[in-house]
Amino acid sequence: MVGVMLVANDYFAIEADTFSKPAGGSQPGSGEPQGSGWFRTFTIAAYKPYFDVDTSDIIDRLKESLFPFRGTFTEKTATNPDLYGPFWICTTLIFVAASIGTFVTYIAHKLKKKEWDYDINLVTWSAGVFYGYVTVVPLILYVILKYFSAPSGLVQLFCLYGYSLFVFIPALCLSVVPLEIFRWVIAGVAGFMSATFVALNLKAHINSAGERWFLIVTGIFLLQLALAVVLKLYLFTVTV
Amino acid sequence: MSNSHSDTIPLHPSSQSDIDEIENLINASVQSGPATVLPARPPSPPRASIPVSSSPFIQSKIPPPPPQSSSSSNHKVPSVPAAPPPPPPVGNSSSIVATGFGPPPNTLTEPVWDTVKRDLSRIVSNLKLVVFPNPYREDPGKALRDWDLWGPFFFIVFLGLTLSWSASVKKSEVFAVAFALLAAGAIILTLNVLLLGGHIIFFQSLSLLGYCLFPLDIGALICLLKDNVIIKMIVVSVTLAWSSWAAYPFMSSAVNPRRKALALYPVFLMYVSVGFLIIAIN
């Protein structure tokens, strides 16, 4: 076992880039074409351009997502869409949702002096919802937009949807307050902000092409609102 | 050739056997040598000239045999023939095997206890270097070079088991989620650094992140024993801070300084979520 690990160390120490290349060997440089066409989706180097952001860029984009009525997000990220933001916002959301949801049920049970058990399914459920939403909806939208000849880059769509979920983090944190009306208000506001963000940024892009833009934009808006409602219902409906 | 006991020059492992061979030839030709030359001595430590030629040349990290074994191999009984290889040292508890001509000490034939002991000592030394970093230590890069995956494996499994023991319902699901979270988390964190343009070796990073889990293991164990929420929160916060502090130097030095926060935030997130899991499981 020691020898295998040492050999593996040498193998992977050749170049950090090449760890997922199928047949080993060191690549001379990252600028050269690597492997045949479809293998490239499995290399790290294929995704590096989407992580070419600094901390200040990410913070700018996060702040931008909190102001839905500007509509300038897509312009700013058109040349350098990143996947770091969407992925880690989703992951943070999963953690925040699971922990807040758990905390809420804990408080509710303790207030009524009932037994409480930790529900591990919250984590898996929220992971499925968030990752699924950010992956599937942009894909479908990409296909639809292509069909209506207003193509948008797929990564830009992922980026847009990922950052649109950022506003849910503070909303979830605020929803700890055990007032039902307050929770609905928070959910509504967050859902509205998020949906407007997506809708306005998309509208700016597809306004020029096709006549069905209004339908598409409205559909997107409603979908985002539905996500907010689903979250509120599942995480904060406590039956004790 | 001096055979005195004061010969303490440490010989190169591969030259010992040369010297032994020459000694044998000399002494074989002078069978009736003076009695003062070589009193009876204990047989030399067995040499591992094992005919396992098919195994690849694996450079193990055992340090070269200490001087006393080289000087004791000089005191060979002259009549011991060198031709048949000595039997494998099954009952021998000495940890270092003198080398033969071929590959250095072959780890396939040593006692199991030696292997286990070596790996355990490596785990302990890596742990000390990673989790209790001492700014005055001699060789800061040692843990980075000497990584292994047994330590992280033990710590992850131990954490999963502890969480599973603490849980009152759905024990196997808790173990599964904890294990998946930690294992996938370590891989994703490493990928994150690589994608951000950092320079890190994949398995080395997995190893480091695994070792940095050790404080959380201790925290989980304490939480298992003491079921008070306040104590749990304090213990988890302390061990969480300790884990993050242990992981900080490795992660931050691997990326561009402008992206340091991008690389560190996910580490913090993972440890916080594990800490939360520890508190929540009751």
Side-chain angles (χ1 to χ4, degrees):
Chain A
M1 70 196 132
V2 170
V4 169
M5 280 190 238
L6 290 167
V7 170
N9 188 15
D10 292 337
Y11 174 79
F12 287 109
I14 292 172
E15 215 177 285
D17 269 1
T18 61
F19 100 94
S20 58
K21 294 237 170 61
S26 61
Q27 290 288 335
S30 55
E32 307 193 5
Q34 299 164 5
S36 52
W38 66 273
F39 277 169
R40 286 191 50 204
T41 50
F42 295 111
T43 63
I44 289 191
Y47 296 100
K48 263 201 186 172
Y50 303 126
F51 282 78
D52 197 13
V53 280
D54 292 337
T55 312
S56 49
D57 295 334
I58 298 283
I59 295 188
D60 278 342
R61 291 176 187 192
L62 289 176
K63 283 196 269 199
E64 182 79 20
S65 77
L66 291 176
F67 297 103
F69 291 102
R70 280 192 204 159
T72 52
F73 184 80
T74 34
E75 294 159 34
K76 288 194 183 168
T77 60
T79 51
N80 190 16
D82 74 303
L83 288 176
Y84 178 92
F87 179 74
W88 287 110
I89 290 176
C90 279
T91 312
T92 311
L93 254 182
I94 291 168
F95 163 65
V96 169
S99 61
I100 300 281
T102 307
F103 187 63
V104 159
T105 54
Y106 175 77
I107 294 290
H109 279 79
K110 283 298 177 203
L111 283 178
K112 303 209 174 147
K113 303 277 191 283
K114 293 266 180 73
E115 273 297 311
W116 172 79
D117 288 318
Y118 178 66
D119 184 11
I120 197 87
N121 281 326
L122 265 180
V123 175
T124 46
W125 181 88
S126 52
V129 162
F130 288 117
Y131 282 138
Y133 187 80
V134 171
T135 320
V136 168
V137 173
L139 268 175
I140 298 180
L141 189 60
Y142 176 71
V143 169
I144 293 181
L145 285 181
K146 265 218 146 143
Y147 178 71
F148 286 113
S149 55
S152 170
L154 183 59
V155 184
Q156 276 88 353
L157 286 178
F158 281 134
C159 191
L160 179 67
Y161 267 85
Y163 280 101
S164 74
L165 290 182
F166 175 69
V167 75
F168 285 120
I169 297 180
L172 282 175
C173 293
L174 281 176
S175 296
V176 180
V177 175
L179 280 175
E180 196 62 22
I181 300 291
F182 186 68
R183 283 180 185 167
W184 274 111
V185 166
I186 293 282
V189 167
F192 181 73
M193 279 176 70
S194 174
T196 321
F197 176 74
V198 175
L200 282 180
N201 277 296
L202 213 53
K203 172 172 166 254
H205 174 79
I206 66 174
N207 208 359
S208 49
E211 62 281 350
R212 307 278 192 101
W213 66 268
F214 188 70
L215 266 176
I216 298 176
V217 169
T218 321
I220 299 295
F221 184 85
L222 291 175
L223 202 56
Q224 199 90 355
L225 270 182
L227 176 71
V229 168
V230 162
L231 273 182
K232 157 73 184 75
L233 285 176
Y234 186 79
L235 289 173
F236 298 108
T237 305
V238 188
T239 50
V240 167
Chain B
M1 181 82 47
S2 158
N3 289 319
S4 67
H5 289 271
S6 61
D7 182 3
T8 55
I9 301 173
L11 292 173
H12 191 275
S14 62
S15 63
Q16 282 175 32
S17 52
D18 296 336
I19 298 176
D20 289 341
E21 295 267 294
I22 297 174
E23 270 192 274
N24 280 336
L25 288 173
I26 293 176
N27 292 324
S29 65
V30 190
Q31 277 300 325
S32 58
T36 55
V37 173
L38 296 168
R41 287 181 182 85
S44 66
R47 293 173 298 169
S49 50
I50 311 292
V52 188
S53 55
S54 58
S55 64
F57 181 92
I58 297 177
Q59 177 75 36
S60 73
K61 289 202 174 153
I62 302 177
Q68 64 262 24
S69 77
S70 71
S71 58
S72 67
S73 71
N74 275 339
H75 311 309
K76 273 176 45 61
V77 175
S79 57
V80 172
V90 173
N92 188 358
S93 63
S94 75
S95 59
I96 304 302
V97 183
T99 58
F101 267 108
N106 196 329
T107 57
L108 286 177
T109 55
E110 61 182 8
V112 174
W113 172 239
D114 284 353
T115 312
V116 173
K117 198 165 66 170
R118 189 171 63 241
D119 284 326
L120 280 177
S121 64
R122 176 179 303 167
I123 292 178
V124 169
S125 79
N126 274 344
L127 192 63
K128 282 196 287 211
L129 284 166
V130 172
V131 179
F132 306 102
N134 174 12
Y136 306 108
R137 63 173 177 254
E138 320 79 38
D139 191 5
K142 183 164 191 307
L144 298 177
R145 287 196 295 272
D146 229 0
W147 60 267
D148 73 307
L149 288 177
W150 279 114
F153 176 70
F154 286 143
F155 295 142
I156 292 181
V157 169
F158 181 76
L159 190 56
L161 283 176
T162 314
L163 286 175
S164 178
W165 270 319
S166 322
S168 39
V169 294
K170 294 187 184 167
K171 287 175 184 278
S172 44
E173 287 183 30
V174 168
F175 178 82
V177 169
F179 190 89
L181 172 70
L182 290 166
I187 295 179
I188 292 177
L189 285 173
T190 313
L191 278 181
N192 185 47
V193 169
L194 287 174
L195 283 166
L196 283 173
H199 300 288
I200 208 170
I201 301 174
F202 184 71
F203 283 117
Q204 189 184 80
S205 159
L206 286 189
S207 167
L208 284 171
L209 285 169
Y211 276 110
C212 292
L213 271 181
F214 176 73
L216 282 168
D217 273 356
I218 300 180
L221 195 58
I222 297 178
C223 288
L224 174 66
L225 301 170
K226 286 241 157 242
D227 207 8
N228 186 349
V229 176
I230 306 290
I231 292 187
K232 273 189 182 180
M233 294 193 17
I234 297 176
V235 164
V236 166
S237 325
V238 167
T239 53
L240 186 90
W242 184 6
S243 278
S244 310
W245 173 73
Y248 177 82
F250 301 110
M251 287 312 219
S252 65
S253 59
V255 284
N256 190 337
R258 287 197 315 261
R259 303 183 180 183
K260 207 160 66 165
L262 298 185
L264 286 172
Y265 167 73
V267 178
F268 181 68
L269 180 68
M270 184 173 95
Y271 287 147
V272 164
S273 60
V274 172
F276 167 75
L277 209 55
I278 296 176
I279 296 181
I281 303 277
N282 64 336

